[in-house]
């Protein structure tokens, strides 16, 4: 795509149109549930109308045509000349897919792909009033009377800008008299005023040249420009600042260690002040990187709607906590795992309407998606009121696939049975579909959540539904850890994995299934001497009689790690491993400790998978 205009104007279009298109997907699904909602109809009309306007100025003809055809449909709908139905929504949602494809092409500065002519013809048919629409109609009137391209000339746009900026009193007076829409005393314009401005730009049978000034004068306020309250910043700059704050945290840790060894009161006070400032700066920088989880949640109404329709199921989706903020990198990383889990609930969880009815349930199933902050973590829950899972079937599948022998499978708790769905190649689906049932996906979801230093757990009740709980840190940049020592080497255990710490008499251990175990408060924990795995030459060393045991969690499993020394809690900055150490099993990265030494950060799931 060749774009010779101002790059800043293009970027403004990408930001504003991007926000509108994100909202449109959810609004369209809501409309199908509430077809008579006039506010929704008007909002969707304005959405397509505004995107068309920006695309017209940038001369993006393919995007203009597509949005214009969709806009016409919603002009007919909001004037009550046609009703919303599933067939109309299928066409409109397909149109939105093409608009999103074109939008990505604009972002990537590629040549735009026109929507198929048959799709535009279908939209034109739905734009006609229901009483006038012939079957298979290929022609439509343009309800708004707008020209097909929606373009204005450079002179017209300059005139519009002048009218907007000057706030000319006479123009304002003329506009008020001609349109009977006086300017708002506040800093906002009404929806009608905004539409009047756009209609003059893109035509209602009038000349844009003559009327653009009058339309622009309507929202004109005073000649004093409003102060900018926001600024657009490249995300790479935010990443660079976060990296620098990470380095500052390491320096802070080092000075804290030195300050604690010093008897100089002024030194200790200065280090204490530095700690406060660093913590506040870290929180402020993290806030700039935060994005609401609704950037991920926004796509789920469409996912559930399309999938339920293809599977002939009836499903409502409810979402809570969409404004919960977390690191932008986590928002992007969580997108695919959450989509897979939601699709899994639609396909595996919710039963067909007739099956639900026979079981005494409402025909319409319910999937609930929620997010909330819990300390320095985010809790995500995907819940359905579907068939639930049968632990006995899961046990038989595990034995059949060789994951457990029968005796071991019989000892599994219900919760451990439910978490079997995350085992590689494990599927309970008898019938293979395009959605799921090929035995891939859920293990990938668990791996992905593990890579984010998160945890995933499943709860279920046969006949009543299932609940999947995900816990991930607010940010990946700085991690709270428990520093430990094995021999003289420091290691960092992510605090999210640490459950509790004991000092135990290890001579009283038990052997179960050939593995060392300890019993604490009537609970049995497998015991691992991780020094034998991670320290060269320690494999043949005799086991200690007394030691520190750190109970760590991996999903629903709890195991004990024997360590030589507990150093304490410390916030660390994760650094990637060098080439020589990349791919080392059980290692998530490295960091610099408060005493200036290098410590490896342990990846608990990977460590146990490789060695245990």
């Amino acid at each position: 795509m060749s774009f010779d205009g101002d790059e800043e104007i293009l970027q403004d279009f990408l930001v504003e149109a991007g926000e509108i298109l994100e909202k449109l997907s959810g609004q369209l699904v809501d409309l199908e549930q509430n077809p008579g909602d006039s506010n929704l109809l008007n909002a969707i009309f304005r959405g397509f109308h505004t995107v068309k306007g920006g695309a017209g100025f940038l001369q993006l003809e393919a995007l203009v045509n597509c949005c214009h055809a969709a806009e016409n449909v919603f002009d007919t709908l909001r004037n009550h000349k046609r009703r919303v139905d599933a067939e109309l929504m299928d066409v409109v949602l397909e149109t939105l897919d093409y608009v999103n494809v074109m939008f990505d092409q604009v972002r990537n500065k590629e040549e735009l792909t026109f929507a198929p002519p048959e799709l535009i013809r279908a939209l034109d048919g739905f734009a006609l009033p229901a009483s006038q629409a012939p079957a298979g109609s290929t022609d439509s009137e343009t309800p708004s009377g707008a020209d097909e391209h929606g373009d204005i000339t450079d002179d017209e746009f300059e005139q519009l800008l002048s009218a907007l900026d000057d706030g000319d009193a006479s123009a304002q007076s003329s506009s008020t008299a001609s349109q009977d829409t006086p300017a708002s005393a506040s800093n906002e314009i009404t929806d009608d005023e905004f539409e009047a401005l756009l209609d003059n730009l893109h035509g209602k049978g009038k000349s844009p040249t003559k009327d653009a000034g009058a339309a622009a004068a309507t929202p004109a306020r005073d000649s004093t420009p409003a102060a900018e309250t926001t600024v657009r910043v490249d995300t790479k700059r935010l990443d660079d600042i976060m990296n620098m704050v990470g380095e500052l945290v390491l320096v802070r840790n080092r000075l804290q260690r030195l300050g604690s060894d010093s008897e100089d009161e002024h030194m200790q006070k200065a280090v204490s002040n530095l700690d406060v400032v660093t913590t506040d700066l870290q929180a402020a920088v993290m806030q700039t990187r935060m994005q609401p989880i609704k950037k991920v949640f926004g796509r789920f109404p469409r996912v559930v709607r399309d999938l339920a329709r293809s599977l002939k199921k009836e499903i409502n989706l409810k979402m809570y906590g969409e404004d919960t903020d977390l690191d932008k990198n986590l928002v992007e990383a969580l997108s695919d795992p959450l989509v897979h889990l939601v699709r899994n609930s639609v396909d595996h969880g919710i039963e067909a309407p007739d099956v639900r009815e026979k079981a005494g349930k409402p025909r319409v199933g319910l999937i609930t998606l929620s997010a909330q902050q819990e300390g320095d973590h985010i809790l995500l829950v995907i819940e359905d009121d579907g068939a639930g899972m049968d632990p006995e079937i899961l046990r038989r599948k595990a034995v059949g696939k060789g994951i457990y022998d029968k005796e071991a499978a019989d000892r599994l708790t219900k919760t451990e049975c439910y978490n079997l769905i995350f085992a590689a190649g494990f599927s309970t689906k008898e019938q293979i579909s395009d959605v799921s049932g090929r035995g891939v996906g859920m293990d990938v979801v668990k791996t992905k959540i593990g890579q984010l230093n998160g945890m995933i757990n499943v709860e279920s009740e046969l006949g009543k539904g299932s609940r999947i709980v995900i816990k991930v840190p607010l940010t990946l940049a700085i991690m709270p850890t428990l520093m430990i020592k094995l021999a003289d080497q420091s290691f960092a255990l992510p605090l999210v994995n640490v459950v509790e710490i004991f000092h135990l008499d290890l001579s009283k251990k038990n052997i179960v299934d050939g593995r060392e175990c300890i019993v604490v408060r009537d609970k049995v924990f497998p015991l691992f001497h991780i020094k034998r795995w991670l320290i060269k030459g320690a494999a043949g060393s005799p086991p200690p009689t007394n030691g520190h045991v750190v109970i760590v969690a991996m999903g629903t499993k709890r195991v004990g790690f024997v360590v030589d020394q507990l150093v304490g809690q410390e916030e660390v900055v994760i650094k990637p491993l060098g080439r020589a150490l990349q791919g080392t099993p059980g290692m998530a990265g490295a960091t610099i400790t408060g005493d200036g030494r290098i410590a490896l950060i342990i990846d608990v799931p990977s460590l146990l998978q490789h060695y245990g």
Side-chain angles (χ1 to χ4, degrees):
M1 182 188 78
S2 172
F3 178 68
D4 301 324
D6 191 330
E7 179 67 21
E8 188 176 344
I9 295 175
L10 174 62
Q11 293 305 319
D12 285 341
F13 169 75
L14 290 173
V15 171
E16 291 164 17
E19 291 174 355
I20 290 170
L21 293 176
E22 275 184 17
K23 288 181 184 175
L24 274 175
S25 180
Q27 288 172 334
L28 288 170
V29 176
D30 287 346
L31 181 66
E32 193 168 23
Q33 305 293 324
N34 307 283
D37 190 325
S38 58
N39 289 331
L40 263 178
L41 287 167
N42 283 321
I44 295 167
F45 171 84
R46 281 197 302 274
F48 281 115
H49 194 70
T50 305
V51 175
K52 183 192 80 170
F57 177 68
L58 295 172
Q59 300 179 12
L60 306 170
E61 188 178 355
L63 191 51
V64 169
N65 288 350
C66 207
C67 289
H68 178 68
E71 170 195 40
N72 290 343
V73 173
F74 283 92
D75 196 43
T76 301
L77 290 170
R78 70 185 186 146
N79 288 314
H80 311 293
K81 295 177 182 176
R82 178 183 282 279
R83 287 186 60 80
V84 173
D85 57 38
E87 287 71 26
L88 181 149
M89 290 307 301
D90 284 342
V91 172
V92 172
L93 286 167
E94 185 182 352
T95 303
L96 182 61
D97 289 340
Y98 277 100
V99 168
N100 280 317
V101 168
M102 293 180 209
F103 183 74
D104 286 339
Q105 290 170 335
V106 175
R107 181 188 282 121
N108 299 327
K109 300 189 178 178
E110 300 169 352
E111 202 66 38
L112 266 60
T113 305
F114 277 80
E118 57 270 21
L119 179 65
I120 302 299
R121 284 197 295 270
L123 288 168
D124 290 346
F126 284 121
L128 290 172
S131 58
Q132 299 177 20
S137 170
T138 58
D139 300 315
S140 75
E141 298 174 10
T142 304
S144 65
D147 66 282
E148 277 299 308
H149 295 288
D151 296 342
I152 60 173
T153 66
D154 291 344
D155 290 340
E156 291 163 358
F157 187 73
E158 288 295 332
Q159 185 177 352
L160 170 63
L161 288 180
S162 298
L164 277 170
D165 290 336
D166 292 344
D168 183 82
S170 61
Q172 187 168 356
S173 172
S174 169
S175 171
T176 304
S178 63
Q179 297 186 40
D180 195 29
T181 52
S184 168
S186 70
N187 281 344
E188 297 185 2
I189 62 172
T190 66
D191 290 345
D192 290 338
E193 290 165 355
F194 182 66
E195 286 180 28
L197 172 61
L198 289 176
D199 284 335
N200 274 277
L201 268 173
H202 298 291
K204 268 214 172 186
K206 302 176 186 177
S207 164
T209 306
K210 293 179 181 176
D211 295 322
T218 301
R221 289 170 286 273
D222 54 56
S223 57
T224 307
E228 286 285 352
T229 58
T230 59
V231 61
R232 189 181 301 121
V233 179
D234 192 305
T235 55
K236 187 179 181 304
R237 287 192 181 184
L238 296 180
D239 291 339
D240 290 343
I241 293 171
M242 194 67 203
N243 288 336
M244 286 187 279
V245 169
E247 295 298 330
L248 184 60
V249 167
L250 294 179
V251 174
R252 185 271 314 268
N253 292 347
R254 179 75 176 127
L255 286 173
Q256 278 182 321
R257 187 70 64 89
L258 293 172
S260 64
D261 296 336
S262 169
E263 295 182 1
D264 187 327
E265 186 180 334
H266 296 293
M267 167 75 166
Q268 291 176 344
K269 188 173 181 180
V271 171
S272 179
N273 290 340
L274 175 66
D275 180 32
V276 172
V277 173
T278 303
T279 301
D280 289 346
L281 178 60
Q282 178 187 333
V285 173
M286 277 179 59
Q287 202 59 43
T288 65
R289 290 163 52 98
M290 292 296 188
Q291 287 184 336
I293 192 74
K294 68 182 172 187
K295 288 187 78 71
V296 179
F297 278 19
R299 62 194 297 190
F300 291 126
R302 174 73 186 279
V303 168
V304 171
R305 184 260 180 200
D306 288 354
L307 192 51
R309 191 158 161 75
S310 71
L311 295 172
K312 296 182 172 51
K313 294 183 178 182
E314 298 173 20
I315 301 175
N316 280 340
L317 172 68
K318 289 189 177 179
M319 298 188 293
Y320 302 97
E322 297 165 86
D323 293 327
T324 304
D325 288 333
L326 69 164
D327 193 293
K328 69 179 183 66
N329 293 335
L330 274 167
V331 170
E332 294 158 8
L334 282 169
S335 182
D336 287 344
L338 286 178
V339 166
H340 189 92
L341 291 171
V342 169
R343 288 173 66 88
N344 200 66
S345 289
V346 175
D347 190 27
H348 283 273
I350 302 294
E351 315 95 322
D354 292 345
V355 175
R356 291 178 62 86
E357 206 166 41
K358 286 176 184 175
K361 292 182 173 183
R363 288 179 63 85
V364 180
L366 176 65
I367 294 176
T368 305
L369 191 59
S370 64
Q372 67 181 70
Q373 186 171 341
E374 195 179 73
D376 57 357
H377 285 77
I378 293 289
L379 214 59
L380 300 165
V381 180
I382 302 105
E383 194 167 2
D384 67 66
D385 68 346
M389 290 185 277
D390 187 337
E392 293 307 317
I393 291 177
L394 293 169
R395 282 190 178 97
R396 289 200 298 269
K397 286 274 184 184
V399 173
K401 291 180 178 291
I403 298 172
Y404 286 101
D405 59 35
K406 189 176 186 311
E407 187 182 343
D410 289 341
R411 286 203 303 268
L412 293 174
T413 64
K414 283 187 178 181
T415 303
E416 287 170 339
C417 287
Y418 301 142
N419 280 274
L420 284 170
I421 64 172
F422 296 115
F426 191 92
S427 175
T428 58
K429 193 82 167 178
E430 301 295 337
Q431 201 77 21
I432 287 179
S433 71
D434 291 335
V435 181
S436 54
R438 295 188 181 274
V440 294
M442 293 300 273
D443 58 321
V444 176
V445 168
K446 184 172 184 180
T447 300
K448 187 68 177 176
I449 298 299
Q451 288 170 350
L452 300 175
N453 299 312
M455 298 170 67
I456 186 166
N457 193 21
V458 185
E459 304 162 11
S460 188
E461 189 172 347
L462 190 59
K464 294 192 176 179
S466 300
R467 188 170 185 261
I468 295 178
V469 181
I470 297 170
K471 188 177 181 182
V472 291
L474 278 172
T475 178
L476 296 177
I478 296 173
M479 179 195 296
T481 66
L482 173 68
M483 299 300 299
I484 61 171
K485 279 194 175 182
L486 305 174
D488 291 327
Q489 175 65 52
S490 296
F491 291 87
L493 271 171
L495 214 55
V496 66
N497 296 118
V498 177
V499 179
E500 52 187 327
I501 301 167
F502 300 109
H503 184 80
L504 293 177
D505 180 355
L506 298 177
S507 63
K508 295 181 180 178
K509 59 180 178 280
N510 300 279
I511 305 295
V512 179
D513 287 343
R515 175 169 290 162
E516 290 184 37
C517 295
I518 55 169
V519 180
V520 180
R521 295 192 298 270
D522 297 326
K523 292 182 180 178
V524 179
F525 300 104
L527 203 60
F528 296 99
H529 297 269
I530 57 174
K531 181 163 73 171
R532 299 174 185 173
W533 300 340
L534 302 178
I535 303 296
K536 190 175 180 180
S541 59
T545 54
N546 285 280
H548 302 285
V549 177
V550 181
I551 304 296
V552 297
M554 187 183 67
T556 56
K557 293 182 180 178
R558 303 284 188 272
V559 301
F561 285 172
V562 179
V563 304
D564 291 340
Q565 188 180 339
L566 298 169
V567 178
Q569 186 177 337
E570 191 169 307
E571 282 191 329
V572 303
V573 179
I574 305 171
K575 300 288 185 184
L577 295 171
R579 287 185 181 179
L581 291 173
Q582 273 180 359
T584 303
M587 293 299 121
T591 190
I592 300 172
T593 64
D595 59 5
R597 302 175 67 183
I598 292 175
L600 295 172
I601 301 169
I602 293 175
D603 179 347
V604 174
S606 169
L607 189 75
L608 287 172
Q609 186 177 1
H610 184 79
Y611 294 105

